[in-house]
Amino acid sequence: MSSTPSSPAFNFKPLLISNMVCSMTMMAFIAVLGPIASVVGLAPWQAGTIATAGGVLWMATARLWGKRSDHHGRRTVLLQGVNGFLLSNLAMCALLILSLQFMPSSVLIFLGMLLARSVTGAFYATIPTVGQALVADNVQPAQRTATLAALGAANAAGLVLGPALAASLTHHSLAAPLYLIAVLPLVASFMLWRYLPKQAAQAHASRAAIALHDPRLRGPMTVAFVAMLCVAIAQITIGFFAIDQLRLNPTEAAQAAGTSLTLVGIGLILTQIAVRQLNWPPKKLIRTGAVIGMLGFASAAVSLSTGMLATSFLVVSVGTGCIFPAFAALASNAVEPHEQGAAAGSIGAAQGFGMVVGPVAGTLLYSWNPSVPYFFAALLLGVIAISRI
C-alpha cells in the first residue's frame, strides 16, 4: 500500500482551476450540440453518437495516459493532454462554426465531428487520470479523499457553469457559445504551465505497470463503473421521464430536466465540500453514499411532480458526491507509488465504460417502463452498499 508522504507546499489550485475549466468546456458543448445538430442537418442518433464518442475514447486511453505519467512525470503528461485537448477542441468548434455558415454535407459534418470529439475525449482523459495520480504523489492516504473531493467539487462547478454560460450566449447566436468553448481550455493550459509546481512524481520506467485486472483494484473499479453507469442512466432518461410519467410537454420537460440536473451539480459541489470536512474513510463514504443514492433513485422512480423529481435527483447527487472521491482514494491507497498513474487510469477506464454502457442500458430499460431505469440504479447502489468492497 502506498505511503507517499504529504507535501504541504504543493499547490493544487492550478489543478482545481483546470479541472473546472475543462469540465465547463465539455458540458457547454453537450448543452449546445442538440440545437446545432438540428440546424446543420444531423439526426438525433448522430448527435448522440458524437457525444458518446468522447466517453469511448476516454475509456480507451485513460490507462495509457496514467502509465505514461508514471514513466515521464505528471506535469509533463498533464500539459501534453491539456494542450491536445485545447487544439482538438479548437478544431471541433471551428468545424461547427464553418458548418453553420456554409452548410456542407451533413455526412461530412458528422464524420468530422465524430473524429474531433473522439480526439477531444482521448486528450481530456489525461485531466482526471493524471490529476488523481498527482494527488496520490503529494498527499498522505488519510487526506486523499478530502483532496479528491475538492477536485470533484471543481468538476461539478464546471458541470453547472458550462451549460449556463452556453445557454446565456445562445441569445446572440448559436455560434457564440462555440467561440467561448474554443478558448476556455487555453485558461487551463496557461494555469498549469505557469503555476503548477514542478515537483511532480519521479519516473518509474524500470517498474512494471499495474494490470487492469489487478485484484487490489477490483472493488474500486466496480464502484466507479456502477456510479458512472447510474449517473449516465439518469442523464439520458430524465427528459423522457418528464414527458411520459409527469405528462409535461417537451418545453416543460426540458425545463424540468434542466432544473433537476442543475440541482445535481449544486448537490455535488456542496456534498464534496462537506466530504472534505468529514474525513471519513473511503469505504464508509462509499456505503453511506450508496444508501443515499439508492433512496434518491427509488424516490425518482415513483415521482409524480417536477418538485419531487428534482428533490429526488438532489438526494442522488448527495449520494454520488460521497462515492466519487471515495473510490478514487480507495484505489490510490491500495497501490504503490510507482503504480499510481496506472491505477488512476484503470479507474478512469471503469468510469468511461459506465458512460458508454449507461445510455444504452437506460434507454433499453426505459422501453419497458419509465420507472425501471431508476429502480435498476437503486438496486445496483443497494448491492454496492452491502457488498465487500
Side-chain angles (χ1 to χ4, degrees):
M1 185 173 295
S2 176
S3 58
T4 305
S6 178
S7 299
F10 196 91
N11 181 13
F12 283 105
K13 289 180 181 179
L15 190 62
L16 293 174
I17 294 172
S18 65
N19 266 261
M20 183 183 72
V21 168
C22 291
S23 176
M24 285 174 62
T25 303
M26 293 289 280
M27 295 310 298
F29 175 78
I30 293 296
V32 300
L33 177 60
I36 291 177
S38 65
V39 171
V40 299
L42 297 182
W45 71 266
Q46 291 175 312
T49 302
I50 291 168
T52 304
V56 173
L57 267 292
W58 180 1
M59 173 187 68
T61 60
R63 273 181 54 82
L64 298 176
W65 287 116
K67 289 190 288 185
R68 182 175 174 80
S69 75
D70 283 336
H71 291 285
H72 300 287
R74 313 295 185 214
R75 188 178 190 274
T76 297
V77 175
L78 189 56
L79 282 170
Q80 290 173 351
V82 171
N83 288 332
F85 178 68
L86 166 65
L87 294 175
S88 58
N89 190 69
L90 183 63
M92 182 174 64
C93 291
L95 174 61
L96 276 184
I97 291 169
L98 291 173
S99 297
L100 287 169
Q101 291 180 349
F102 300 106
M103 292 296 177
S105 164
S106 60
V107 175
L108 292 177
I109 297 173
F110 172 63
L111 293 177
M113 287 301 301
L114 188 64
L115 175 62
R117 185 65 174 180
S118 297
V119 176
T120 300
F123 281 112
Y124 179 79
T126 61
I127 299 162
T129 300
V130 182
Q132 289 176 23
L134 196 57
V135 169
D137 291 337
N138 293 278
V139 179
Q140 289 183 345
Q143 282 77 49
R144 283 177 189 163
T145 303
T147 306
L148 289 167
L151 286 179
N155 278 318
L159 184 149
V160 175
L161 293 173
L165 282 173
S168 66
L169 290 173
T170 54
H171 295 297
H172 300 284
S173 71
L174 274 179
L178 296 173
Y179 290 101
L180 173 69
I181 293 168
V183 301
L184 270 176
L186 185 61
V187 176
S189 178
F190 173 77
M191 290 298 297
L192 291 174
W193 170 76
R194 179 65 180 84
Y195 297 108
L196 187 70
K198 296 183 179 180
Q199 54 188 103
Q202 295 294 320
H204 300 285
S206 62
R207 309 272 192 111
I210 191 171
L212 182 63
H213 54 78
D214 192 295
R216 293 173 295 174
L217 296 180
R218 194 170 297 147
M221 287 180 67
T222 300
V223 176
F225 169 72
V226 169
M228 189 58 76
L229 175 74
C230 292
V231 169
I233 286 174
Q235 289 176 332
I236 198 68
T237 58
I238 185 171
F240 298 115
F241 186 91
I243 292 173
D244 297 329
Q245 194 78 355
L246 303 184
R247 302 289 188 262
L248 302 179
N249 63 46
T251 300
E252 293 171 335
Q255 292 172 346
T259 299
S260 297
L261 293 177
T262 299
L263 285 176
V264 166
I266 294 171
L268 285 171
I269 295 170
L270 296 178
T271 301
Q272 291 182 103
I273 290 173
V275 164
R276 297 194 66 192
Q277 307 303 320
L278 288 175
N279 202 29
W280 285 359
K283 290 185 179 181
K284 182 177 181 180
L285 275 172
I286 288 172
R287 292 195 172 94
T288 302
V291 171
I292 295 172
M294 177 186 67
L295 295 175
F297 273 115
S299 174
V302 297
S303 292
L304 299 175
S305 67
T306 56
M308 184 175 179
L309 183 66
T311 302
S312 299
F313 274 88
L314 179 61
V315 174
V316 167
S317 73
V318 173
T320 53
C322 293
I323 294 172
F324 273 86
F327 64 65
L330 193 64
S332 176
N333 294 348
V335 300
E336 300 297 331
H338 70 278
E339 300 170 317
Q340 290 296 339
S346 298
I347 292 299
Q351 289 180 267
F353 190 42
M355 287 177 62
V356 173
V357 174
V360 177
T363 50
L364 287 176
L365 292 170
Y366 189 89
S367 65
W368 291 351
N369 184 278
S371 296
V372 169
Y374 301 151
F375 281 129
F376 177 69
L379 175 63
L380 289 178
L381 290 172
V383 171
I384 292 296
I386 63 175
S387 65
R388 294 181 62 186
I389 305 167

